[in-house]
Each structure stands twice: as structure tokens, then as C-alpha cells.
Amino acid sequence: MLGISSCEEFFNPTQGLVIQETDFFNDWYDYRSAEMGLYALQQNLAEQLLILGELRGDLLEVTENASRDLIEIQNFKISEFNKYASSRGFYELIAGCNNLQRTLEHYHPEVMSEDGPVTNYDRLYGEIIVMRSWAYFNAVRIYGSIPYIPISLTAIDEIEEFVNSPVTIVDSFDILFAPDGRYNDTIFYDTPITLTSAYLNLDQIVDSCTNDILSNVKVTGVNHYIENGDASWEVTVWNEYAMEYLLGQMYLFQGNLLEADRHFERILSIVDIEADDVRYGLDKTFSKGSWKNILTSINQNEHIFVIWFGKGQHQTNEFQKMFSTVSPNSYELKPTRQAVHNWETNWDGFRYWYSDLTDHSLQALNPSNLGTPGDIYRGANISYAYTKNGIPMSNNEVMEMLELKRDQNDFEVEKIMKGIDTVVYKYTLGKQNDPFARDANFIVARAASVHLYAAELYTYFAWVELGENYVITLELAEQYLNNGFYNGNSDQLGVRGRVGFTDHQDEEIHVPNIVYTRDPFTNEVNGYIDFTGNLAGKQDYLEEQILAERARELAFEGERFYDLMRIAKRRGDNTFLADKVAEKFSGAQAEEIRTKLMNESNWYLPFYLGTAE
Amino acid sequence: MVSAAILISVSLAGQSEIELNGKIFNSFQEPLGDVAVNYYGSLESPVITDTSGMFTISVPSGEVWLNISPVVGYMEKQVFLNDRKSITIYLVENEEESGYEELDYLGNTYRRRDIVSKINTGLGGDKFSNSYESFDQNLQGKVSGMYQTTFSGMPGSGTYMLLRGMNSINSGNQPLIIVDGIPLENPRGIHSTVSGYTYNPAASIDPTDISDLSIVKDGSALSIYGLKGSNGLIFIETLKPVETNTSIEFKYKLGMSFTPDTIPQLNSIAYKTLAKEILSSSTFKEEEYATSYPGLFYTETDPEYIRYSHNTNWQNEIFKNSILQDVYVSVKGGDDIARYGLSVGYLGHNGVIKNTNFNRVSTRFVGTFNIFSRMRMYVSANLVSSTSKYKESVLGNQTSPILSAFHKSPQMFPKRYDQDNQVLEAIDDVDELGISNPKAVVENYSARNSNYRFLTSFKVEGDISKKVKWNSILGLNINDIKEQIYMPNLGMEYYFDKEAYNVSQSLNNLLFMISNDNYLVFKDQIDGVHTISFRGGVRWQTNDYQEDLGISMNSNENDQYTNLGTGDNQLEFITGLNQKWTWLSNYYTGSYIYKDKYLLDAAISADFSSRVGKEAEGVLKLGGQPFGIFYNIGGAWRISNESFMKDNPTIEDLKIRVNYGTSGNDDIGNNNAFKYYTLQLYRETSGMIPGGFANETLKFETTSQFSTGLDLGIMENRLRFSLDYYNSRTRDMLIFEELPAYMGYEVYPSNNASMSNNGYGFSVNSRVFQKSKLSLDIGISASHYNSVITEMADNEIITNIPGGGQIINRVGDQANSFYGYEFTGVYSSRAVVPAGLVNEKGIPFGAGDAIFSDLSGPDDKPDNVINEYDKIVLGSSTPDYYGGVFMDLRYGRYGLHMHWQFVSGNEIYNHSRYLNERMTDLSNQSSAVLNRWIYDGQETNIPRSAWGDPVGNADFSSRWIEDGSHVRLKNLTLSYTIPEKMLFFRDLDLFVTGTNLLTFSKYLSYDPEFSSSFDPMMQGIDLGLMPITRTVMVGVKFGL
């Protein structure tokens, strides 16, 4: 009667270019496509992560071109109409992961068992779990507490009911950590906790996600390199190092330094003993003038996980648009004064006089080695730039200006700096001539960050397996920060060493008992701090130095606000964060922001259920 | 013969015969002689009226039907005797509406007055088609209950039609058009990349080809068209060859469309003042902007001065009067076995914006064949090819002629100068102010559209018994639309966020639709008092729609290569779509009439649509497939045939109709009910992501309509009055519900909304006057509707519309209301600004800024911040009432036809005025901004100018909402028929006709009538489309 080929086809016509789920998941390539789709969803998050991680911190601020949404974020006054306030992107990824995990478990149940040879399905399964944990972890850092959706739930009403009903979670890891990362007295194992609804806080999310990864992931990271012939594929998917990084980072934020160390150590350890190859040791690949290549290339010596963008493949982001002054970009965000000072007041090539004075306040710089200001491999024209009508000031001009500053010739400095815009350059680098590029990669994890995390945890981690010797761990921290941990191998440089700040002992950052303080602009020694017998003081000092190094090394990469949060929490001192952030405001607004940020609950965005757009 | 007559008379002898005396008049009380009168079933010869219109006839009982067969010029009539002993019968002239005209309706033949549904008929024919290119334009204001808005003045554009209001906010609202039994596609599915262009399915039918057109607003037809019926139906029959003698018709017309009145813009001096004022409000320093925009500062001594020293009215560069031509030939003829109609037409119409046009070549063949004595075949085949050139609306930005003409600095000149200051032919390139040269927009930008439509139907009708017929219609609709766009480099702003200096774009749409309808019809009249008819059948349709889009940019700076594939491969973009959907319906309808007094009508259908979710609840499942059940029950009571009224000669007809029925709308998206994956790339591979939160329970929308109406014919049917009221309710209305963020998807298609839609319409038609050669007919229609959201998950949904505004759908409000700030004026000085009043960015309001009412805040009270909380409903595009008046005056061979149309109380978002008055960049603006706030204490209602508008003076507010009420002389036609005796051929008509000659409106842009989309939410938003034009044509028509 119907006169068409088949009844089935009439009632369920096949659609082209959108694929119904019932027609999908036939072979490995379908699964891979579905997984690639999840990475595409991650791309959608990059802009939000960067804005929320940096604009709330002390390194980035709005310009007068900024949209309402950006102004709201900077001012910690976030309405439900704000597009950056929406948690939807995270949950789109989470829902996508849940869906693919469920499908995989259904059609390839072998992924759930420990036995059998490792297949690509196993690797895929691992990626999904790690990726989802990353989404949850980032979301909880932003919102403070968020729903954790079990993968078994699919229907809207099921999920709604679950999220809004009280739940009891049995927290097998509910441990409160002391600042040194060791167990504190208040330890509860397997304590059932009743929550009014299924919103978990950071601690609970970290417990759930680490548990999920540790118990379900046997392997992660499909090696697409085999098919694609492009080695950068390895670090643009959630590989094993990326997983370790995420685990380490989650534990670090929880305060579980022991576990954090364990996972970071897997990234920093020797992978090939014979070749003495430390994959993520900071070697010469990106030293000095090559440092900037970190921003323009993808390389397994530095990059651990990168969200890739490519114009030719129509995968773009708005970074360049928000940062660049060159038409048609809109220059909505710029580096703060403090951000720039972090580089400009980093002095190179100076030496102390080192007399045998007992009055330390009389210590001075050696007149023949007063040093030069600026961080030439990471600062001007690399991480940031001074531009006039879109054209950057040259390095020489910047250097000249800094020298004038050193000589306190403010009048000349002001003259030079007239009409100058300060811009974030990191995402424009290598694309200066193409204002339409819009495809800078977003680095989620790289080696320098792990080194600095390691330095940070060794600062506090006053405990080594061999005994109670805190000095050793502080030195470890210094080594990661300065000249590399791997003394036996000259090829291994520390974070500062890589960019030339360890040519002399004095340029390195150390915490001996006497630490000299210097004027940031003239570099003149203007005092000293005596840490003799004051371990806590040394720890705080070193921690701040590490934080400043993070600001130089990792500025605008989306982590700054969480760095401040982590340290403020570790110290139990909200002023730490509040003061730093308030510094970029002026007048009454600075005070208002400071007051606001003294309250930890204002560090988190409200979890709006929907955006009212 | 004689013996038969005897036998009959013998057999009837036992019955009481009634002697009936009657008189027959025309509607002006003039007696009609020579009219044959007989009764139904009679074997006698009819009796004939005498010169005084009297007749006497013997009838077997008081319950017979009389057949009145008048002389030429009057309509036949059937009258139910209804136990009357004497009777007065009025006949109306052929062109008049009598209600007795026979009508093919849903497969059976009915007298128009016997249809319980509200239908308008007789809208086809070439009576008024002289002046229209698309049949729908002719209907505007004529059909009560049908609200129409012409899309634009672009030749060949159609109208947005709402039959009895709006029944849906996310699905289509357009009535289903059925041509020769084949349902046409939903035009919403045909995509275009030209901003503001709307595909007009009606443009592929030459209006002259239409022989019958009926519009159905309620009743059984809606229910048996089930899932496609809820927005009403338009039935079209083409070239019906009724006669066997060969006739040839030829028509030619030639006309001109006139440019609209231009909108006064600032002249050069006023422009420069404004531009400098805006620059000085920016953060740029004067020496900076003087270098960036030197053109604003040149003096006569500067070598470049001449380039910047003009005073151009750019609107004159884009508009010009344009020519149209229409040729049409048809041949009809045949014999008792085979009859045919064949037509060929050509229409060429240039738009009033330069380089726009619409060219249509159409051919149509219709044939009917009596193959065997019990079997007939109908074939209709239609091949239309049209090619057009378009321009974009103001959303097209750099490529919109209107926007560039508004915004281009009047200092500039369309052409270039050489070194000796001599004008060259070459187009001037873009200056530093950055607006496309309107001359380049009209001359070099091109958007070509070609459309080939092959629409054919093949129908077989067989007699199964005397009363039962079987029909099968097979239809094929192939619609191929190609769009090729080239955006040039020279003289134009850059495109795609300034990345592309030229762009070529190609879009192919191909729809392949097959439909089939098989049904049985039955009709019988029993004992003269029971009339029964029935139709039952199965209809199916399959659709395959394919769309391919390719964009390539920056191919070559010299604009020579306008094809795809030569561009920068980083900027290439290719996408496509292939969708399929099906529809199956099993339907039954029947009607019953008792003694011309009581009419009953019922229908039921079960409809399947492939778009409906397999888990849909509350629907019938057959073999696991979801079916919607729709039904209708209706009745009518002809009061005028009741004993207490039947002898009243003043009231010819009084009928009350009541209908209650349901119908559906499956325009819910092909994929919303299915879990599907869609493409999103990651790196060099294809990624697939879930395409949305599928709702496997998603189903069609159901509209139930209660309607009642009254038809009254008085004064011998000279005055016909019809009043209708309806109340419909759409439940399970498709909305896109906002999901809680943790669902991971923004929206969820659901059926969690309903709306109610009620309204009334009335029409009066009258032959007011008739004396010898002079006659006058007047018709008036007026209607009102109200479409209100009655239920909605989350109570309200706010949708952003292009151009920065918002639309709200909220329970209790009119559907698709505009939503924004209330603008009440301008702060004349600092002193009157409320202290601490800031905008959403925290920027304080000051003197010269807009006054927006601070109505609320996060705590439900005014908070001194103008933001989302202060937005209110600003009205909607739904009119309070609308309608038309038309008039036909005839004197002998002269005819004057006049058609007025009016709309009242609809609100318009004047987006093009927003762009022309916002004063936020260096675009030229309308002369209205001369009243802008400039000095402290100035009382005005136009805020100050401000670079980038930091305070948001130009934000979407009541400032941009205007009343769209208007009255328009839609058509005026004067015609003359040359006497036949002077000719060798049948007749020759000469006519001169004008459309849109007069418009009365307070609207501030070109024209208050426009529509930019079939999307219900996009109505009433003025996107600066080509304005509707005044057109005057002369024509000739003759037949052989």
C-alpha cells in the first residue's frame, strides 16, 4: 500500500548528517568520533576557564571595552544572566562523558574488568573518566559545591530528583589535613555524611573523582599518533601523565600533600634510566629564548595536556579577540600593573657584596653586578606587551624604559608610556600578523607547573620518608624552583634556571636565615628578614616566592585565582587572597572588594540553575 | 415517453399532489421570466415562469427540492420546499454569492451553504489576479479571520498568513496549501542564507492559473488533515477545464513600480558635527581621531578634500523606478473524452532596489480523461522556473543597500576621482569611516536565486457503484532552490568580522516529496430529505530534504573569481543537511443533512508522523508507532427554514454553525524526539557530540477549536452577513524548556505549554445598488484575535531576537511580546538624574541620557540599577483588529475595483530606525537626531550621542517600539471591455491597475507592513527589507 521500499524506513526515516543514536556506535571509529566530540566540548570551556581563573585574580583586569559579563566577574558581583557564570558547559561535558561511558560499558563490558589485553576501548574508557573528573574538579573550584551526577541516571526527572534530594555519602577518605600535608588529629574514616541535596564540596568531589580514577582507570590515552603521524596528538588527549597531573592537583587542593607528591613524582621521575631521560624534566628544549615556543608549539617535553585549537579546522576561541587591540579584536582584558611588575621587577645578573658585616642591614649589591630588570625570556613581548596602535614596543625600548625607571626618571617614563596599551600577548604570540587567528592553544597542564607545584608542596611537606628533617624538603623546593632537582644531569634545569635566573647563586631564590629585601625598581638592598629559627616564616616566604614565580611562568593560563585560593586556605588566612586581589582596584572599591573577599563564600560563583538569557 | 408519463402519473395518483404557486425575482425585485422550475426526481418537463416571474407546479409533497434553472446570467438554485404552499424565490447574478454554487470539497460535491465549516470560496479566478504576482497577496483583508502581512516589496514575495490567530510559538503557523490535491511543503523548512529573504511557495503558482481557491478555518477538513491541519487549509485548483469548446486566453501587462519616499538623513554638515561630537565622547584623544578619521577634518586646501566634500543622498543611489512585465497564454479545450488546459506564463519584475528582480517562467498542464465510462483520470503538471536577484536586510550589515544608504557619510560620492579631480566611472572604495559604498552594494554584491519546481499530480477516479467512487491521487513535488552569493571586495566593508574581503557562497536546497491519497467517497440523497455523504481514506507522504552550503573567502582581491573553491582554504566552510520525514493518515469524514434544516458533520483521523517520539504518551500506539487521533463534530441549524421563519421573505438564509474539533501540528523538528549525534570537529578528526537532550516522549501539538458562526442573507440575499467566533486552545505546545545547569544542556524540547487563541471576524457583502447598467458591490471584513499563553513550564521563556531585542512568552501575556525597558524621555540636566542611578555595567546615568523606568531589582523593588529586572512587556505584533473594504462599481463595460486593507494596534520593533538613530558610532543617522540632547536643560526625547553607548541609551526599549496601524489602498483597477461585435474574438479587456497607491500610517520607517520570516517570533521586527512599492500597470486581456 505504501509503495515505498520498506515499512521500517517509513516509520523511522534515516537521517543524514545528524546520526541517530540507534545508528551510531557500530565500530571503533564511531566510539572515537564520540570521544573526539567530548574534546570539542572541552574546547568550549577554555574561554570560561581562562576568564574565571584569571579575571578574579590579581593578574588580569577589564578595560573600558569590557562587556557587562566581564565587569561582573571582575567585581565579584555576578548576576544569573552572566554567561561566564553558567556551569552548563561543564555539565554538557559531564553528561557527554556519562553517556559515552554508559554506552561503552554496555557494548564493551570488558572495559570494566582488570583482565585481558589492553585495547583502545580501555584507553578510551580511561580518558572519559579522567576528563569527567577534570570537569568536576574545575567546576567545584569555581562554584564551591556542585551536583555529582551518577552515570546511571539518564532521564531528566531522575537527575532532578537525585540532585534535589538529601543524600548520604560514605566518605572513606574524609580526612582533614594539616598544613604540612600530614594527617591531622580529626580523622574520620568511612563516615556517612548527610547532605541536604546532592551537592558536593571540593573535598568530596576530590574524594569521588580520585576514587573513580584510581579504581576504574587501568589505562588512559589512545595513541592517535599511530594513525595520525602527529606526535602532538599524545598530549592533546588525556594521557597518563595528564591523569597523574590531575590527580596530583586534586590532592594538592585538598591538602593531601602526600598523595599529591606521589602523583607529581610519576611525572617528574625518570622514564628511561639508561638514557637518563626525564620526560618532564625542564631541559634545554625551552630554555631562555626558546621559552616562548611553549606558547606556540606542542611538545612532549613540556606539555602534559593541551586543549588544541586550529583555525583551519574551524576550532577557534576568543582569547585573541579579548586581548588584542588590533582591529577587529576588542581588547576587553589587559594585564594588571602587578602582573607586569612580577616580570619587570625580576632582576637578573646581580650579586651581593657579601662583606662579613654582622649588621645585615648594611649588606649591599656589588656595584659591578647591579643587575638588569625584566624577565626577557618570559616577560615583555612574550607574556605581555606594550603596544601603541597595535604595534608592540621593542625589547630595547622596554629595557630603556625600565632603566629609566631604575634611575627613577619618572618624567621620561611617563613620556614614553603615553598612549601605550598593556596587552596580554601570550595568546597572540606567533600570530602577531594575523589578527584573525583566534586559535591559540589552551594549556591545561605543563611541566613547569608540576615543578612549581612540587616546590610548593615541599615547602610545607616537612616530612620525608627517612626522618623528620625539614631542611631537606625546603631545599628540594628550592631546587625545583631554581636550578633543577636532577643535580646529576646538567640538562635538567629548574623553572628559573631555564630562563636564565640561576647564573649566580644570588639570582636564585633561597631562604637562608637572613634574606635581603630589595627595592623592586632600583634593586637596591633596603633591608633584611631574619628567619633564624623561624621555619614557618621561611615557609611562607618561600611560598610567596613560588607564587610569584607561578605568576611569571604561568600568567593568564587560568590558574591564578585558584593559586591564591589554595594558599589562603592552607594558611587559613583569607586576607592573603583578599589583599592581593584588592590591589588591582583603587579607592573605595578596593576596600569593598577586600571586605567581600574576606568571606570565603564570595570566592565561589553562585551555582545558578540556568542562565536567564 | 408518453406511456412512461402515464405510468408515473398513475402511480402518483394515489398521493396528494400539491399545487405550488411561486414567483421568481432577482435580488432587486425584478421578476424573472423564462426560468425553468422543476422538482427533484421529477420526470415531467419543467415549468417555465412567465414575464411576471410567476409559475405553478404540481409537486408530490411538501418535502421536495425544487430545481430552478434560470436564464443566462443568473445562478442555478435548489430550494427545499419545506411544506410551503407558495414560494418566492430570489436568484442572484452569476458573479454574486448565492450559497447555491456547487463546490468540490473533500472529494464530494456540496452546495456551499451545506458546509458546516467556515470556509471562504470563490477566491480564485482571474477577477482580481490582474495586479498580483502571488495569489496570497490578493486575499489580504478579504477573508475574515485571516491576518496577512506581505513579506516585503521584493517582487515575488508572498505573505505571512495567520488563519484565526497564532496557534504555536515554535512550530509553524502557516496554513497548509493543497494544490490539485497535493499538499505543498512547509516553507519554514526551506532555508536561505540571504538575510531577510523568505521563500514564497505561492510564487511558483501563476495566480491566473487558479480557478478555485477555498480557505478552510475550522471543521472536519482540519481534522482529516490531522497533523498538518491546525493552521487551516487553503485548497487550490488550477486551470479547471470545464468546457469542451476550445478557448484561448491571452493576457499582457506592463507596469512600473515606484521608489519609496526616502527617509530624511543628516546632510554633510550635520553629519560631520555629529561625527565629531561622537568622537569627542570617546576615550580617543583628538589628535588620535583626527589622524584616524581625516575625512572629517579636511579643508579645501587638502588634496583629498574633493573626495569628502559632497552631499550625497545615498538612498537615491539604491532605489530606482522599475519595470514589470507579465505575459500569459492559456488554452483550454477538448471533448467529452478528454479535456485539457495548458498555460504558459512569464513574469519579469524588477525591484525598486537596483539590481533586484524576479523572473518566472511557468508552464502548467491539466488534463481530464474519461478513460472508460466508469473511470476518469486527472493529470496536472506544473513546471516553474524562477530566477531572482536579492539584496539583504539590515542584518546583512555590510551588504544591505538600505543600511549602507542610511549610514554612509553624505560627504562621500559614489564614484572615484582621478588626480585632476575628474569623476571616473569606477566605484569609490571604502573610506576610513568604513561603510560599504551603497553603489557597490547594489551593483556588485549579488545574491542570485534560482528555483525549479516540478509539481505534478495524477488522479484516478473510478465509480464502484452508482453512489460510491474510488479515488487515488499520486503527487510529486520536486523543489530545487539554488542560491549563489558573491560579496565583492571593491567598495565594500570587510565581512565575517572583517576577516574576509570577498566571499562567495553557494547554497543548494532540494526537496523531494511524494504523496499519495487513496479514498472512497459516497453520496446519496434519500427520500429527498436525507443527504448523506462520506469519505474515508489513507494518505501518506514522504519527504527528503537536502541542503548543502559552501562558503569560500578571499579568493582574489580583484573580484574576478566569484565561484567557490578559489578562496583561502583556512576560511573555507562547508556544511550540509539531509533530513527525511514521513506522514501517514487514515481518515474518515461524513456529513448528514436533514431537510435543508439540520446539518451534521463529523470526522476522525489517525495520523502518524516520523517526527513524533516513540515514547510519546497519551497517543495511540499501533504496531509500536505513535498515532495522533483527531476528530471533529459540527452542526448547523438553518433557522430560516423553520416554520416560524420560512415564509419571511426578507430573510433568505439564517444559519447558525457550531463546530468543535481537534487537529495537530507536527512541525516539531525532525530530530527533537530522537537521541542523535551531531558533528563537532576536534583537531583534524570528526567528533560527534550529542545533539541535544532528546525528548523521546515529544509529540505533536494539538489544537482544539470551538467555533460558532452565523450566516445571514437578508434583503433578498443582497446583504449577506457573516459573524464568526472561535476559541482554540493549543495544548502540548512545543517549547524549549530551560534545563537546570547540571543537565548539561541548555534547553529541552517539551510539550509543556499551551496557549489559547480566540477571536472573531465578521464580513458583510452586499450588492448595494443595481440599476440598468450600473451596479455597486461592497464588501467589508474585520477581525480580531488574541493569542495568549495559558500554561508554560517555568512560566516564561525569553528569547533573544536579531538586533538586540528580546521576545517574551509568559503565561497570561500575548504570545511573542516584545520585552525591554520602558523609555520615558531624556534627563534634561544632571539635577534631574536620580542619585546613584547606574546601568548594568555600573556606569552612572547623566544629563542627556535616556530615562528608563527603574521598576524592580533582585529584591523585587527598584534598586537604582537599570538591568534585566526592569524589563517589561512592550506590546506584540498581534493587531487589535484588521480587515479590508472592497468595492466594485460597474457601469456597462466599465469597471472600477477598489480594495482597502487596514490593520490597527499592532506593535513594531523598528530595528532599522534603531540603527538610524542610535548615534553610537560614525554612521550617518536620520535627521531626527538633530533633536538630540546637546546642552544642559534641553528638553527633548532623543538622548545624547555617545561613542559605543556606554550607558545604553539605545538599548532595546519602548523607544523603538512603534504603532504599526495603517490603512492602505491595496488595489485600484479600472477596466473596460471592448464590445464583442467590434472584434473577431471573444472579448477584449483593457485595464489599468495600481497597487499600494495610498498608505496612511504614523510609522517612521518606509512601510509598516513587512515580515522577515515564517518564524512566529520574528514577526513585527523591521529589519529594513525592500519596502512595499506603489505599482501601476496597464494591461490587456483577450480570449479566442
Side-chain angles (χ1 to χ4, degrees), chain B residues 16-33:
Chain B
S16 55
E17 289 223 344
I18 299 165
E19 268 310 88
L20 172 71
N21 292 313
K23 282 175 284 184
I24 295 183
F25 295 106
N26 73 8
S27 53
F28 288 85
Q29 298 282 11
E30 295 159 354
L32 295 176

Side-chain angles (χ1 to χ4, degrees), chain A residues 19 21 88 311 314 609 611, chain B residues 499 572 675 738-739 741:
Chain A
I19 299 176
E21 192 175 68
R88 196 157 266 140
K311 173 107 180 181
H314 300 285
L609 287 182
T611 56
Chain B
E499 187 165 15
E572 272 173 7
K675 281 187 181 160
E738 198 178 6
L739 282 171

Side-chain angles (χ1 to χ4, degrees), chain A residues 2 10-12 15-16 19 21 33 37 68 88 92 99 156 230 232 236 311 314-315 436 609 611, chain B residues 498-499 540 572 578 580 582 608 614 675-677 682-683 688-689 738-741 744 748 840 868:
Chain A
L2 294 176
F10 185 89
F11 289 109
N12 302 293
Q15 305 296 341
I19 299 176
E21 192 175 68
S33 288
R68 176 198 70 187
R88 196 157 266 140
E92 193 174 4
N99 192 37
I156 286 182
D230 176 352
S232 68
T236 51
K311 173 107 180 181
H314 300 285
Q315 294 156 56
F436 303 100
L609 287 182
T611 56
Chain B
K498 301 193 177 165
E499 187 165 15
W540 60 260
E572 272 173 7
N578 182 355
K580 294 172 185 170
T582 56
F608 164 83
K614 302 297 179 215
K675 281 187 181 160
Y676 69 97
Y677 281 75
Y682 182 63
R683 298 206 56 173
M688 300 295 290
I689 57 167
E738 198 178 6
L739 282 171
Y748 171 75
E840 57 178 17
E868 308 282 338

Side-chain angles (χ1 to χ4, degrees), chain B residues 301-416:
Chain B
T301 52
D302 282 303
E304 282 278 290
Y305 175 73
I306 183 106
R307 190 181 174 209
Y308 293 88
S309 60
H310 305 272
N311 194 8
T312 307
N313 182 344
W314 289 105
Q315 289 171 80
N316 293 339
E317 298 295 321
I318 61 164
F319 291 119
K320 73 164 188 202
N321 294 342
S322 66
I323 301 288
L324 80 88
Q325 235 191 125
D326 190 354
V327 193
Y328 176 85
V329 187
S330 74
V331 185
K332 288 182 187 177
D335 51 32
D336 289 335
I337 309 281
R339 271 175 274 169
Y340 65 92
L342 177 69
S343 79
V344 181
Y346 165 76
L347 170 75
H349 190 172
N350 295 331
V352 291
I353 289 183
K354 289 177 186 172
N355 272 316
T356 57
N357 62 31
F358 176 70
N359 292 290
R360 175 179 65 205
V361 178
S362 58
T363 59
R364 179 174 287 276
F365 172 79
V366 176
T368 69
F369 308 95
N370 297 327
I371 309 173
F372 307 111
S373 60
R374 307 215 180 284
M375 196 164 175
R376 291 159 297 280
M377 210 169 82
Y378 302 85
V379 180
S380 129
N382 175 212
L383 180 63
V384 177
S385 149
S386 63
T387 55
S388 349
K389 283 183 181 173
Y390 298 114
K391 299 289 178 204
E392 295 202 281
S393 79
V394 296
L395 290 183
N397 223 342
Q398 307 91 335
T399 52
S400 155
I402 287 176
L403 193 70
S404 60
F406 280 171
H407 288 177
K408 185 79 182 169
S409 164
Q411 298 169 274
M412 311 308 296
F413 192 69
K415 292 177 185 171
R416 208 179 290 171

Side-chain angles (χ1 to χ4, degrees), chain B residues 195-245:
Chain B
S195 142
Y197 164 68
T198 314
Y199 174 69
N200 175 18
S204 60
I205 302 163
D206 192 320
T208 320
D209 279 338
I210 295 174
S211 43
D212 276 328
L213 190 150
S214 338
I215 294 176
V216 183
K217 299 172 203 162
D218 62 14
S220 294
L222 266 49
S223 298
I224 68 165
Y225 276 89
L227 283 169
K228 311 279 179 190
S230 69
N231 295 316
L233 305 164
I234 297 180
F235 288 100
I236 289 174
E237 274 192 71
T238 60
L239 282 180
K240 211 173 179 184
V242 281
E243 293 164 25
T244 50
N245 58 325

Side-chain angles (χ1 to χ4, degrees), chain B residues 15 70 73 132 171 177 190 203 333 399 424 608 650 653 690 851 872 927 956 1000:
Chain B
Q15 298 183 13
Y132 298 101
S171 305
I177 300 173
I190 309 279
T399 52
L424 301 173
F608 164 83
T650 332
D653 188 22
I851 307 176
I872 54 164
S927 61
F956 187 64
F1000 302 96

Side-chain angles (χ1 to χ4, degrees), chain B residues 89-388:
Chain B
I89 294 168
Y90 294 96
L91 296 182
V92 295
E93 289 196 41
N94 269 345
E95 306 217 327
E96 283 279 282
E97 190 182 306
S98 70
Y100 289 93
E101 51 274 34
E102 292 222 319
L103 190 66
D104 286 332
Y105 179 62
L106 302 183
N108 265 317
T109 312
Y110 293 86
R111 280 186 293 261
R112 211 179 83 92
R113 68 202 295 266
D114 291 345
I115 295 172
V116 176
S117 308
K118 175 64 181 178
I119 72 172
N120 291 61
T121 57
L123 296 161
D126 61 6
K127 190 175 171 188
F128 305 121
S129 68
N130 289 337
S131 48
Y132 298 101
E133 293 160 5
S134 147
F135 71 83
D136 47 335
Q137 293 168 348
N138 172 33
L139 305 172
Q140 202 168 15
K142 282 187 185 161
V143 180
S144 79
M146 178 149 93
Y147 179 54
Q148 280 177 283
T149 320
T150 305
F151 282 113
S152 75
M154 179 65 207
S157 76
T159 58
Y160 179 78
M161 294 183 261
L162 282 182
L163 258 180
R164 291 196 166 172
M166 213 188 297
N167 285 311
S168 176
I169 57 173
N170 283 303
S171 305
N173 273 322
Q174 298 301 292
L176 179 70
I177 300 173
I178 298 149
V179 180
D180 294 329
I182 310 300
L184 290 191
E185 70 277 352
N186 178 349
R188 243 164 57 103
I190 309 279
H191 300 149
S192 169
T193 52
V194 180
S195 142
Y197 164 68
T198 314
Y199 174 69
N200 175 18
S204 60
I205 302 163
D206 192 320
T208 320
D209 279 338
I210 295 174
S211 43
D212 276 328
L213 190 150
S214 338
I215 294 176
V216 183
K217 299 172 203 162
D218 62 14
S220 294
L222 266 49
S223 298
I224 68 165
Y225 276 89
L227 283 169
K228 311 279 179 190
S230 69
N231 295 316
L233 305 164
I234 297 180
F235 288 100
I236 289 174
E237 274 192 71
T238 60
L239 282 180
K240 211 173 179 184
V242 281
E243 293 164 25
T244 50
N245 58 325
T246 304
S247 69
I248 297 176
E249 193 180 284
F250 174 83
K251 195 162 87 174
Y252 176 76
K253 62 190 183 188
L254 179 68
M256 180 171 267
S257 299
F258 297 94
T259 59
D261 297 335
T262 55
I263 288 169
Q265 296 290 105
L266 296 181
N267 64 20
S268 281
I269 296 167
Y271 166 72
K272 278 200 266 186
T273 311
L274 174 68
K276 289 176 191 168
E277 183 184 308
I278 290 175
L279 282 171
S280 69
S281 74
S282 74
T283 54
F284 307 133
K285 294 177 189 70
E286 185 163 351
E287 63 268 25
E288 261 173 51
Y289 63 70
T291 12
S292 312
Y293 305 106
L296 297 170
F297 299 91
Y298 284 135
T299 57
E300 283 183 46
T301 52
D302 282 303
E304 282 278 290
Y305 175 73
I306 183 106
R307 190 181 174 209
Y308 293 88
S309 60
H310 305 272
N311 194 8
T312 307
N313 182 344
W314 289 105
Q315 289 171 80
N316 293 339
E317 298 295 321
I318 61 164
F319 291 119
K320 73 164 188 202
N321 294 342
S322 66
I323 301 288
L324 80 88
Q325 235 191 125
D326 190 354
V327 193
Y328 176 85
V329 187
S330 74
V331 185
K332 288 182 187 177
D335 51 32
D336 289 335
I337 309 281
R339 271 175 274 169
Y340 65 92
L342 177 69
S343 79
V344 181
Y346 165 76
L347 170 75
H349 190 172
N350 295 331
V352 291
I353 289 183
K354 289 177 186 172
N355 272 316
T356 57
N357 62 31
F358 176 70
N359 292 290
R360 175 179 65 205
V361 178
S362 58
T363 59
R364 179 174 287 276
F365 172 79
V366 176
T368 69
F369 308 95
N370 297 327
I371 309 173
F372 307 111
S373 60
R374 307 215 180 284
M375 196 164 175
R376 291 159 297 280
M377 210 169 82
Y378 302 85
V379 180
S380 129
N382 175 212
L383 180 63
V384 177
S385 149
S386 63
T387 55
S388 349

